[in-house]
Amino acid sequence: MLEIKNLHASIDGKPILKGVNLRINAGEVHAIMGPNGSGKSTLASIIAGNEAYEITQGDILFEGNSLFDLQPHQRAAAGVFLAFQYPVEIPGVSMMNFMKTAINEIRAQNGLQPMEAAAFLKLVREKQALVELDAKLANRSVNQGFSGGEKKRNEVFQMAMLNPTLAVLDETDSGLDIDALRIVAQGVNALRNPNNAFLVITHYQRLLDYIVPDVVHVLANGKIIKTGNKDLALELEAKGYDWILETTQA
Ligand SMILES: Nc1ncnc2c1ncn2[C@@H]1O[C@H](COP(=O)(O)OP(=O)(O)O)[C@@H](O)[C@H]1O
Ligand SMILES: [Mg+2]
């Protein structure tokens, strides 16, 4: 489904990603772990289509086509979703209008009519229940005055509403208490199916107790220096990132 080939990217002439290779098949959950500043959010932003980064080499194929041929909104319509590490507040735009616009924009790009109001409300109720999001938040402006945990849960709510083919979650666990973590994981696990895939970025192993990955990668200094199964995450937790940096000569 997703194939990242020898990806090099820079910002302001400074190389951040230095040859990332990654292949994700439908039905899989991959985790990317790594020290702060290793390039995890950069990779997520590039998949979503952030143009601040300059791609200096390599390609990203999504279902066989280069993502670089698609604008961010076209990537969303194709089924790519990014849950941000730092969700933005959008004053003056209610959650309901934001979601309705997002869904109908994606439907329009795929040649579908806008969703019927009743079907939309039903979907909202179903997905709100999934992430135990307070229904009152739906009438407020997007993320405005939401607590850290509410913003993260709202990201997973949006993901559930859009039902993406590929979801990238950038440190969705940071700042969550254990209950919120469980709820976020429950949302992700409920969406998992043989036709979609998840890329879960996390600094800590904790989230991976709840969202059990098929594959774990370690990104350090702009490169994937180690790939393994879920036990790699536990090993990292026990031994720290220094251990892996020393043993792999990154
Ligand atoms: N917009 C930006 N401007 C300048 N430097 C940036 C920008 N975004 C990221 N970087 C730099 O790129 C490196 C990787 O950052 P990031 O991808 O956020 O790492 P991670 O998410 O793994 O902590 C860091 O050195 C960071 O300072
Ligand atoms: Mg980050």
Side-chain angles (χ1 to χ4, degrees), residues 72-87:
H73 69 277
Q74 294 173 315
R75 297 183 195 194
V80 177
F81 177 88
L82 170 65
F84 291 101
Q85 182 169 4
Y86 304 105

Side-chain angles (χ1 to χ4, degrees), residues 55-70:
I55 311 303
T56 52
Q57 216 180 310
D59 204 353
I60 304 180
L61 301 183
F62 177 64
E63 297 183 324
N65 303 311
S66 176
L67 272 186
F68 300 137
D69 293 337
L70 302 179

Side-chain angles (χ1 to χ4, degrees), residues 40-41 85 170-171:
K40 302 185 298 297
S41 292
Q85 182 169 4
D170 189 6
E171 297 204 23

Side-chain angles (χ1 to χ4, degrees), residues 26 195 241:
N195 301 316
Y241 285 113

Side-chain angles (χ1 to χ4, degrees), residues 9 15-16 19 37 46 102 116-117 123 125 148 158 181 204 224 235 239:
I16 311 282
I46 290 172
E116 300 276 347
L123 192 65
R125 274 196 292 271
Q158 290 171 27
L181 190 71
Y204 299 107
I224 289 177
E235 203 172 2
K239 298 181 182 172

Side-chain angles (χ1 to χ4, degrees), residues 136-157:
K136 287 199 285 284
L137 294 180
N139 299 318
R140 304 231 311 251
S141 291
V142 180
N143 285 327
Q144 201 174 32
F146 286 24
S147 72
E150 284 169 345
K151 283 182 184 171
K152 293 299 174 88
R153 257 193 272 175
N154 197 26
E155 290 287 297
V156 179
F157 165 69

